[in-house]
Amino acid sequence: MGACAPPSVRLSSTRTTGLSMNHAVSANDFGTLVLQTWDRQLNLLQLLETADRLSAQGREPLAAVLYQTWLRRNRTTHDHLAWFNLGVILFNQRDFEGAREAYSRALQLSPQFLQPRFNLGLVYEQLGQSDAAIAQWLHIENIVAPDNVVERPLLLMALNNLGRHYEDHSRYAEALAALTRSLRLDPDQPKVIHHWVFIRAKQCVWPVYEPLGSLTPEVQRQHTSAMAMIAVSEDPAMQLAAARHYVATSLNLGVKRMAPTKAYRHRKLRVAYCSSDFCMHPVAMLTVELFELHNREHFEIYGFDWSREDNSPLRQRVEAAMDHFERIHTLSDEAAARRIRECEIDILVDLQGQTLGARANMLAYRPAPIQITYLGLPATTGLPFIDYVIADRYLIPESAQPFYSEKPLYLPDIYQVSDRKRLVGPVPSRADCGLPADAFVFCSFNNNYKFTPEVFATWMRILQRVPGSVLWLLADNVWAQENLRRAAVEHGITGDRLLFAPRLAPEHYLARYGVPDLFLDTYPFNAGTTANDALWMGLPVLTMSGQTFASRMAGALLTAAGLPELITTDLQAYEEKAVTLAQSPADCRRLRSQLQQTREQGVLFDTPRFVRNLETEFRRLVDTY
C-alpha cells in the first residue's frame, strides 16, 4: 500500500492575483505577493489559489512563506485551512516538526477537521512516534460512521494506514483486522487486497484465499502481488499474469527514455547496482563479495542506494566495495533516473524487481541502455523496461522462457553468487538450542509465509514415520506459531514436536546450521539465501522443484553442488527421501562430507569464477548492443 500522500485542500476562487497559472512567478512578482499578503490585501481564497500556483511550478518553499506571512497577519474563521495546507507543504519538504505544528494548530482551531488528524499520523510516523501515529488513525476510525459517504474515503485511508503501519511493525493480527474492516467497507481496493492476502500468508492463516463479504477468492487471486503469488502458486503463467497486472495498474509507462540507443564505449565498462537492500538483508549478504571482486581494470562499479541506514558491518562492506556509491533516497524517480543517466551507466542491475522498496517507476525512464534484474524477486518482473534476468539453465529451462518478460542471461555454473567471507560463530549444542539430544532433527528456517498446507501436511507425515523426530522452524511471529501448532495437532502431531528458533545475529544464525540433521525445503517458494547458508555450513537440503523460478532455486544450488539426489519433483518422493535419510545416518554423514568438499573445491561457492563468468556476459551484452 505504501504511505498515503497527505491530502491538501483545494479551493477555487473567481478572483485572482493577476498571475496566470502558466506564468512563472518572478522574484519581483513574489515580492509583490508577500507585500500584498503582509498588507492583508489577499483573502483566503486568493491565498489558496496563489499558493497552489507556486506549488504547481515546483516552488513549494515560496508557497510556505506566503502561508506563514498570511497566518501571521490575518485572523479569520477559516484559518485552519491555511494551517492545514501549510502542513502539507512542510511535510512534502520533509520538515516534519514544522508540519506537526501546522496540523496541530489546524486541529486547535477546528477539532472536527479530520484531514489534519490523518496527516498528523503520517508526521508522527516519520518522527518515529508509532503510538502517536496509531492514535490519530484510531480516532478517525472511532469517530467516522461507516455509512458517512462524505467521510468514508478518509476512514478507509485511516484503516489502510493502520494496516500498513501494523504490518511494518510485524503486528500482523492487528494489521489483518484493520484491512479486513477496510475491505468490508469497500472490497474494490486492489492494493489493500494484496496486502490482506500476504498478511494471512505470513501468519499461516490457511486457506490464504477465503471469501470476505462480496470479495471472492478469485478476485483475491487476481490482485495478489507478484511477491505473494510465488508463495501460493506453482503456475508460471499465473506468476507472469500477477507481474503484468502490477505493471498495468501501478506503473507510469508513458515516460520518455533517457538512455541513448547506442553503447557509450567507455574505456571501462560502467556497471551499476541499485537497491534498497544494501543493509542487513539477504540480497546484500549474497552480493557483497561480487561487488568487491569485480575486475577494476575493465569495470567501474556504481551503487545507487535508497536503503535504511543500519550502520551494519555488511552495509559498510557494500559501500566500500563500490567505486561510486550514491544515496538517491531523497530524489524523485525521475530525478534519480536522470542522475543515473548522467553517470552514463552501461549496464544497470536492479536488485529489487517488485519487492518492498522497489523503484520500478525510476527504471521506467530507462536510464541505462541495458537493464537487468537479479536476485530481488525470484520470478519474472513483468517490467517491459527490464531486458534480462540473470539465471542458469536449471533455474530457467528454455521451455520456461515464454513465462518471462525478460530474456535469461545464462551463467554456466550457478545463478546465485555467494559471500565466502561470512562470519560464523561457534556451533551451539543441542541443549543450548532446546533440542532433544538423540532425536533426528529436521529444520526449515524459511520465512513462515513460504509454508503451505500441502507441504506442512507432508512434514507431519514425515514426523509420524520417524518416531521421536522434531521439526525446528524459524520463530517468525507468534500468530504463525500458534496456527502451525494447531495444524500439527490436527495432523496427529503433538505441538511439542514443533520447535521454534528465534532470530539471531548472522554469525550465530549460520552456526545454528551445524545442529540439525536435514533441511526440509518449502514449495513452491524454495529457500534461496537460506539454502545457500545451509549448504555452506554442510547441512543437506532436501528440495522439491517445480516449473517456476522460486520453485527451482534450491535445485539449482544442489545441481551446482553435485547433489541431484536431494532434488525431488513431487511430494510423495520428497516424503520418502526425507524418511529414508532419517533412517540412514551414514547417508547424512556422506552428504555432509560431500558438501564440505564442494565448499572447498566446487563451483557452487567459487565466487571469483562466478564474477568472471558474469563479467564475460556483461562484455558480450555491451559488444552486441
Side-chain angles (χ1 to χ4, degrees):
M1 283 176 296
C4 296
S8 60
V9 172
R10 301 299 184 203
L11 298 180
S12 60
S13 172
T14 57
R15 301 177 62 186
T16 69
T17 60
L19 297 175
S20 66
M21 283 296 292
N22 57 7
H23 176 75
V25 178
S26 68
N28 288 336
D29 292 334
F30 184 69
T32 299
L33 286 171
V34 173
L35 284 174
Q36 290 176 339
T37 305
W38 182 265
D39 291 336
R40 300 185 178 94
Q41 295 178 13
L42 258 66
N43 63 34
L44 179 61
L45 295 182
Q46 290 172 322
L47 169 71
L48 297 175
E49 183 184 82
T50 304
D52 279 356
R53 183 180 301 117
L54 288 166
S55 296
Q57 294 170 359
R59 308 176 82 173
E60 280 197 324
L62 298 186
V65 170
L66 212 58
Y67 275 120
Q68 290 164 336
T69 304
W70 192 92
L71 286 164
R72 185 178 180 84
R73 299 287 290 171
N74 291 272
R75 292 293 180 273
T76 75
T77 57
H78 292 86
D79 288 0
H80 58 285
L81 301 179
W83 280 113
F84 175 67
N85 275 15
L86 174 61
V88 172
I89 291 173
L90 295 178
F91 185 93
N92 290 340
Q93 296 297 309
R94 303 186 67 79
D95 179 0
F96 301 124
E97 282 292 351
R100 183 191 60 76
E101 180 182 0
Y103 291 140
S104 297
R105 292 291 295 272
L107 285 172
Q108 288 171 6
L109 294 170
S110 180
Q112 302 307 313
F113 187 22
L114 293 181
Q115 283 85 350
R117 189 173 295 281
F118 171 81
N119 285 10
L120 198 54
L122 298 176
V123 171
Y124 282 130
E125 187 176 40
Q126 290 293 332
L127 293 174
Q129 299 178 34
S130 177
D131 290 343
I134 290 169
Q136 303 304 316
W137 298 324
L138 285 176
H139 179 88
I140 294 172
E141 180 188 5
N142 293 332
I143 203 170
V144 176
D147 58 355
N148 186 327
V149 177
V150 175
E151 293 186 339
R152 177 182 281 193
L154 194 63
L155 172 59
L156 291 173
M157 290 173 67
L159 289 169
N160 294 342
N161 273 269
L162 280 169
R164 174 190 55 76
H165 188 83
Y166 286 139
E167 182 183 6
D168 289 346
H169 289 75
S170 300
R171 296 168 62 172
Y172 298 131
E174 292 163 293
L176 186 63
L179 297 189
T180 298
R181 291 194 294 272
S182 176
L183 289 170
R184 288 191 185 280
L185 288 172
D186 180 8
D188 187 19
Q189 298 184 82
K191 292 185 178 180
V192 179
I193 292 170
H194 92 239
H195 277 265
W196 185 82
V197 168
F198 204 13
I199 292 170
R200 286 175 65 87
K202 287 178 179 179
Q203 297 177 89
C204 299
V205 177
W206 298 330
V208 171
Y209 296 119
E210 186 175 61
L212 177 65
S214 62
L215 184 59
T216 65
E218 179 56 33
V219 173
Q220 293 167 23
R221 288 187 184 90
Q222 291 172 7
H223 297 301
T224 298
S225 67
M227 187 64 186
M229 183 62 76
I230 59 183
V232 297
S233 171
E234 57 188 356
D235 183 351
M238 189 172 290
Q239 292 186 8
L240 177 60
R244 285 179 168 165
H245 178 78
Y246 169 78
V247 171
T249 58
S250 302
L251 297 188
N252 181 13
L253 301 180
V255 296
K256 187 176 180 180
R257 173 193 177 105
M258 293 184 178
T261 56
K262 294 183 179 180
Y264 290 113
R265 300 298 179 189
H266 302 119
R267 186 180 70 82
K268 293 183 180 181
L269 205 63
R270 297 183 184 178
V271 177
Y273 297 89
C274 64
S275 181
S276 71
D277 296 328
F278 290 145
C279 51
M280 190 57 68
H281 186 277
V283 167
M285 292 175 183
L286 288 175
T287 55
V288 61
E289 195 176 6
L290 162 64
F291 309 145
E292 293 170 339
L293 290 181
H294 270 301
N295 186 335
R296 264 38 184 205
E297 290 186 17
H298 302 291
F299 291 85
E300 191 170 359
I301 307 303
Y302 291 71
F304 292 101
D305 167 66
W306 58 99
S307 313
R308 70 183 189 276
E309 290 278 8
D310 64 357
N311 298 313
S312 63
L314 179 62
R315 177 166 174 76
Q316 294 169 14
R317 272 185 69 191
V318 170
E319 187 169 351
M322 304 293 185
D323 299 315
H324 310 275
F325 189 80
E326 293 197 28
R327 293 278 285 155
I328 58 172
H329 61 295
T330 61
L331 300 181
S332 67
D333 290 330
E334 182 178 4
R338 189 177 301 112
R339 178 61 194 136
I340 296 170
R341 169 63 181 87
E342 289 168 354
C343 293
E344 296 190 353
I345 301 301
D346 295 294
I347 296 176
L348 181 63
V349 182
D350 174 55
L351 298 171
Q352 297 274 169
Q354 291 186 23
T355 57
L356 181 66
R359 298 186 66 171
N361 280 315
M362 176 187 76
L363 302 175
Y365 287 94
R366 189 172 278 277
I370 299 169
Q371 300 189 162
I372 298 174
T373 183
Y374 184 44
L375 286 183
L377 180 71
T380 181
T381 66
L383 303 175
F385 36 80
I386 295 293
D387 306 301
Y388 298 94
V389 53
I390 295 174
D392 60 50
R393 292 187 181 277
Y394 185 93
L395 185 74
I396 304 179
E398 291 187 5
S399 60
Q401 288 187 21
F403 303 108
Y404 290 79
S405 60
E406 313 86 356
K407 182 178 180 180
L409 184 67
Y410 285 125
L411 299 185
D413 302 315
I414 181 65
Y415 83 99
Q416 191 186 83
V417 69
S418 300
D419 176 26
R420 300 167 302 161
K421 300 179 183 178
R422 61 191 111 175
L423 299 177
V424 180
V427 176
S429 68
R430 288 199 168 185
D432 292 336
C433 299
L435 297 170
D438 299 326
F440 191 92
V441 178
F442 298 100
C443 77
S444 187
F445 294 146
N446 286 322
N447 287 314
N448 294 175
Y449 70 81
K450 293 186 178 183
F451 299 172
T452 64
E454 296 78 14
V455 171
F456 188 80
T458 302
W459 290 348
M460 296 304 98
R461 289 194 298 273
I462 292 169
L463 292 182
Q464 287 175 338
R465 295 177 62 185
V466 182
S469 62
V470 296
L471 178 58
W472 200 18
L473 304 173
L474 179 67
D476 207 352
N477 63 81
V478 294
W479 306 279
Q481 289 183 45
E482 292 173 0
N483 289 330
L484 290 171
R485 283 203 168 104
R486 188 179 302 113
V489 171
E490 291 173 358
H491 285 284
I493 298 295
T494 56
D496 58 355
R497 293 182 70 185
L498 265 61
L499 303 171
F500 291 89
R503 293 186 183 275
L504 297 173
E507 63 272 20
H508 300 300
Y509 154 79
L510 282 171
R512 180 184 281 163
Y513 283 109
V515 178
D517 298 294
L518 181 65
F519 187 106
L520 296 178
D521 199 10
T522 45
Y523 179 88
F525 193 168
N526 285 176
T529 308
T530 310
N532 186 298
D533 288 336
L535 296 174
W536 175 258
M537 293 299 298
L539 177 63
V541 175
L542 176 65
T543 193
M544 176 175 163
S545 289
Q547 303 178 67
T548 62
F549 185 130
S551 69
R552 300 180 69 82
M553 293 190 297
L557 298 179
L558 290 166
T559 298
L563 289 172
E565 65 188 277
L566 292 174
I567 303 172
T568 64
T569 55
D570 62 76
L571 286 175
Q572 183 60 44
Y574 178 97
E575 178 183 335
E576 294 300 328
K577 187 67 176 180
V579 173
T580 298
L581 287 172
Q583 295 170 345
S584 178
D587 274 347
C588 289
R589 288 194 296 271
R590 173 182 59 80
L591 292 170
R592 280 189 175 275
S593 176
Q594 189 167 341
L595 283 171
Q596 182 61 38
Q597 186 176 5
T598 294
R599 174 171 167 170
E600 296 170 356
Q601 302 175 5
V603 298
L604 177 58
F605 298 117
D606 190 342
T607 306
R609 178 186 176 109
F610 176 94
V611 176
R612 291 194 301 272
N613 289 336
L614 183 63
E615 289 177 345
T616 297
E617 291 303 308
F618 282 171
R619 289 193 197 94
R620 182 183 64 80
L621 291 179
V622 173
D623 288 344
T624 58
Y625 179 69

